[in-house]
Amino acid sequence: MALDRGLVIAGWEELGDLTSCASIADLGGLLEAVYPDESPATLTNWKHQLWRFRTMDVGDLVVMPRKFQQIVAIGRLAGPYEYRSDQPVGYRHVRKTDWLVRDVDRAAIKGDLRDSMGAFLTISELTRRDAAARITALVEQGHDPGYTGAVEPPADPAALEADIAEAGTRQLTPRDLIGLWGWSRRTTGVTALVDQELAARGLIVEPHFNSVRLDDLVTVSAVTEGSDDAAESVSTDPAPIGHSSSAVGSRKPSPVRDFGWRIGTLPFARDVTTITVDDDLGLAHLHMVESDFSQLPVVDRNGRVRGVVTWKSIARARLAERGRTVAEVADHNPPTAREHEELFSRIQDLQQHGFLVIIDADHVVTGVLTASDIADQLKLRVEPFTLLEEVELRLRLTLNRFERGDLPARTRNILEKKGQVTLGEYRYVFQDSDLWKRLRWPFDQQTFLNRLDVVKVFRDNVAHWDVDAPEAESEAVEATRQLLRLLQLVV
């Protein structure tokens, strides 16, 4: 109906004419009168959505995702808000719209802009990251030029809420999101705390901030009663956009989140070289040889995966006496994965193929994860534990050289109670001046103790599950390595 009649349409079928609402406060009062059983948070959410619809400027661009299809329509508002009482219920709040293009492929839109269009809200505003210029380019040129600038985070959680109330969504990085509550690492406790804080404010994050890298973008939006149902109906419900009484219900319980590694948290190659089936096979050879690639994704004009060329697929084609074109040598069923997938569920595919082509929800290639990437991660994540283990072993060996009566009193008490000394407690051993003299180590005592303090804090940090590799603690890793060098010299 929107496309056929040149309109954008909002639902809220129980709500009458909004023309008399001169302010957002007037609109809020009307909503309270019509929906007395709704929560204040839901009414606030609806108030901002409808005020956006009421006050959008003639000439503004509007984007409408097409249900059942991987395309969007883009139009330009051609008239003010109207209430058409003679239309069917649910189709009365309208704005005249000139639809400029009706079939923009979603894959032609960069992921950040696509994500900002995927809010749980009927009406949200696309304001940041050059959205208007990029949508104009989609209309005029058929492609999204993207955005490479930084994203300035909100100042605090209240500012995040204000931004979402104003525009409907807010994009920021997981690093900035957890930073709003003073955290820098995504441990189990931090993840649970931030999830609770977001839920208390009626906010949801897509994708979840634990399933991508610290500096990727996530989109935060508001949820209302019934949003889960509304979200599920995006591709199945032909009803008009907006609130419908049938969509209102209690929110479904949040699933229990597991804390396994997600593919999206790994630093795989994201600036991917690709080819198309129409490219010359020599171009594939050139890319693979000069960049030492073992595989090259084959994509369509919008970046959707259509296959992969590997040295193995080239060899098989040659043995079969074919292999003159990309189409002939490509494996058209490449191993693919999504960033939100749990890593260890795909390890077998990595072992078998040596790589996974990473794609988004629209099958656009966003990266390539290789077995070499996993090996690099294994070193990053395992090395700190091996360093710490050897540090503790050498400290223990040092302690075993002394009779208990020769140890500081506090250390003797610890041994009598627990039988062992923790890494944090070794400071009390080595700050004893008499024991330090007897060690005759050629180091400055205070410098050694300072190094031990850094390593102790690092040990406490890595003892807790953390989605981020210890490379974020590179200085602490190096401090541990330096302390170990000292101990290797004397123990």
Side-chain angles (χ1 to χ4, degrees):
M1 184 180 289
L3 293 172
D4 291 344
R5 300 189 183 183
L7 302 170
V8 287
I9 309 169
W12 282 274
E13 60 190 43
E14 299 89 353
L15 200 61
D17 194 351
L18 307 181
T19 305
S20 62
C21 296
S23 68
I24 192 170
D26 292 344
L27 183 53
L30 181 60
L31 282 165
E32 289 175 8
V34 176
Y35 302 107
D37 297 328
E38 296 295 343
S39 69
T42 295
L43 293 177
T44 297
N45 186 299
W46 290 351
K47 175 178 68 177
H48 283 281
Q49 290 192 67
L50 286 165
W51 189 246
R52 288 180 206 116
F53 190 82
R54 171 87 168 78
T55 59
M56 292 186 295
D57 290 329
V58 172
D60 279 355
L61 291 165
V62 292
V63 180
M64 182 174 68
R66 301 286 303 277
K67 295 177 180 178
F68 312 110
Q69 304 176 66
Q70 294 298 308
I71 56 178
V72 303
I74 302 176
R76 192 178 298 280
L77 287 176
Y81 165 79
E82 298 178 51
Y83 182 74
R84 298 182 175 182
S85 58
D86 60 336
Q87 293 302 304
V89 172
Y91 295 84
R92 294 175 178 175
H93 303 285
V94 301
R95 301 283 302 262
K96 289 181 181 178
T97 302
D98 294 328
W99 291 106
L100 306 174
V101 286
R102 302 182 177 211
D103 55 356
V104 176
D105 195 326
R106 281 177 52 88
I109 308 170
K110 302 294 185 185
D112 64 317
L113 187 55
R114 224 181 313 140
D115 288 345
S116 67
M117 296 174 184
F120 288 98
L121 307 183
T122 299
I123 307 152
S124 56
E125 188 173 3
L126 307 178
T127 55
R128 292 181 171 83
R129 301 176 68 82
D130 293 341
R134 293 165 64 181
I135 293 170
T136 299
L138 284 165
V139 172
E140 296 176 351
Q141 303 160 22
H143 73 273
D144 174 9
Y147 178 80
T148 57
V151 179
E152 187 68 25
D156 51 39
L160 174 65
E161 288 185 88
D163 286 348
I164 293 170
E166 178 68 25
T169 66
R170 181 64 155 94
Q171 289 185 314
L172 69 169
T173 66
R175 186 189 303 278
D176 290 332
L177 179 63
I178 65 175
L180 297 180
W181 286 274
W183 303 101
S184 60
R185 299 170 58 249
R186 294 175 290 183
T187 63
T188 308
V190 168
T191 298
L193 172 65
V194 175
D195 276 336
Q196 291 169 6
E197 291 285 345
L198 291 169
R201 289 167 167 79
L203 303 177
I204 189 167
V205 184
E206 291 291 334
H208 190 267
F209 62 89
N210 242 19
S211 65
V212 298
R213 294 179 303 171
L214 267 173
D215 294 311
D216 287 343
L217 280 180
V218 294
T219 302
V220 186
S221 57
V223 291
T224 61
E225 299 293 335
S227 286
D228 291 321
D229 297 323
E232 289 180 353
S233 71
V234 165
S235 61
T236 60
D237 183 4
I241 60 176
H243 168 68
S244 167
S245 59
S246 62
V248 176
S250 60
R251 189 181 304 166
K252 298 176 182 177
S254 299
V256 176
R257 183 171 303 285
D258 70 78
F259 292 97
W261 288 352
R262 299 289 162 185
I263 288 174
T265 64
L266 303 176
F268 54 79
R270 294 170 190 264
D271 186 14
V272 184
T273 300
T274 61
I275 55 172
T276 72
V277 290
D278 298 322
D279 284 330
D280 188 278
L281 185 57
L283 181 62
H285 291 159
L286 177 68
H287 287 317
M288 294 174 73
V289 171
E290 69 179 2
S291 299
D292 196 24
F293 293 151
S294 298
Q295 63 286 313
L296 206 58
V298 180
V299 300
D300 65 13
R301 65 187 181 89
N302 288 322
R304 282 196 178 99
V305 65
R306 291 292 180 260
V308 65
V309 171
T310 66
W311 291 122
K312 183 182 290 187
S313 72
I314 292 172
R316 284 176 175 169
R318 292 292 172 84
L319 287 171
E321 298 184 348
R322 53 184 174 80
R324 297 180 180 85
T325 66
V326 169
E328 288 178 330
V329 305
D331 176 356
H332 295 284
N333 293 291
T336 61
R338 299 276 295 280
E339 292 195 27
H340 70 265
E341 290 186 58
E342 204 272 330
L343 172 62
F344 291 108
S345 68
R346 304 306 306 273
I347 285 292
Q348 187 171 352
D349 290 327
L350 273 168
Q351 289 175 323
Q352 178 182 351
H353 300 282
F355 69 94
L356 291 170
V357 178
I358 310 303
I359 58 174
D360 64 15
D362 291 284
H363 299 279
V364 173
V365 174
T366 60
V368 175
L369 175 65
T370 67
S372 177
D373 295 325
I374 299 300
D376 291 340
Q377 281 295 295
L378 182 65
K379 179 181 184 298
L380 274 174
R381 294 177 183 268
V382 172
E383 184 183 29
F385 292 98
T386 61
L387 293 173
L388 288 164
E389 184 177 19
E390 187 173 350
V391 164
E392 293 201 63
L393 173 63
R394 292 181 182 274
L395 292 174
R396 195 178 309 122
L397 289 173
T398 300
L399 197 62
N400 291 341
R401 289 167 48 187
F402 295 92
E403 298 292 337
R404 287 211 177 181
D406 295 331
L407 296 173
R410 182 163 184 171
T411 305
R412 291 199 304 272
N413 292 335
I414 292 172
L415 289 172
E416 289 171 3
K417 288 181 179 179
K418 301 190 302 182
Q420 62 181 4
V421 178
T422 65
L423 185 57
E425 292 165 339
Y426 274 109
R427 162 174 261 283
Y428 304 118
V429 177
F430 294 105
Q431 72 181 10
D432 183 85
S433 56
D434 291 336
L435 184 130
W436 184 263
K437 289 177 182 177
R438 279 184 284 163
L439 285 172
R440 300 178 66 185
W441 284 356
F443 315 131
D444 174 70
Q445 182 183 22
Q446 190 57 51
T447 302
F448 182 84
L449 292 173
N450 291 343
R451 187 81 70 197
L452 192 57
D453 288 340
V454 172
V455 173
K456 184 266 180 186
V457 172
F458 181 48
R459 167 66 178 79
D460 291 345
N461 286 341
V462 300
H464 301 285
W465 183 90
D466 188 347
V467 70
D468 303 308
E471 61 187 328
E473 303 270 7
S474 58
E475 292 183 5
V477 173
E478 182 56 29
T480 305
R481 192 177 287 114
Q482 291 172 349
L483 178 61
L484 180 57
R485 291 193 192 108
L486 299 178
L487 291 171
Q488 287 170 336
L489 178 67
V490 294
V491 184

